[in-house]
Amino acid sequence: MARFYALSIETTLFGTPCLRRRWGRIGFGGQSKVHHFDSETDAVMLFLVLLRWKRARGYRITRGLCQ
């Protein structure tokens, strides 16, 4: 089954950083979760931890598939 997992660090309307996670089957809407942080450093740390976990499970990094 083909799946996707997307991570992005964004800024909210109030200027605080957040980490957006999206996952699901390719071709479907999937699910999402947003984590809010006080500093961008904390968001980057969680981003790197999740990236390491997903790469260990076989997910590959692709570019240019942003929506």
Side-chain angles (χ1 to χ4, degrees), residues 35-51:
H35 302 271
H36 297 276
F37 297 94
D38 292 329
S39 70
E40 188 173 356
T41 305
D42 296 334
V44 171
M45 286 175 40
L46 181 58
F47 179 96
L48 294 174
V49 167
L50 292 169
L51 179 64

Side-chain angles (χ1 to χ4, degrees), residues 62-66:
T62 59
R63 294 183 185 2
L65 301 176
C66 298

Side-chain angles (χ1 to χ4, degrees), residues 6-22 32-47 50:
L7 295 168
S8 63
I9 296 176
E10 304 170 358
T11 304
T12 65
L13 291 174
F14 302 108
T16 59
C18 68
L19 174 67
R20 180 176 304 272
R21 300 164 50 184
R22 292 184 54 241
S32 67
K33 185 171 187 173
V34 178
H35 302 271
H36 297 276
F37 297 94
D38 292 329
S39 70
E40 188 173 356
T41 305
D42 296 334
V44 171
M45 286 175 40
L46 181 58
F47 179 96
L50 292 169

Side-chain angles (χ1 to χ4, degrees), residues 50-63:
L50 292 169
L51 179 64
R52 195 175 319 124
W53 286 351
K54 292 303 174 179
R55 293 202 60 202
R57 294 205 51 185
Y59 285 88
R60 294 185 315 246
I61 296 176
T62 59
R63 294 183 185 2

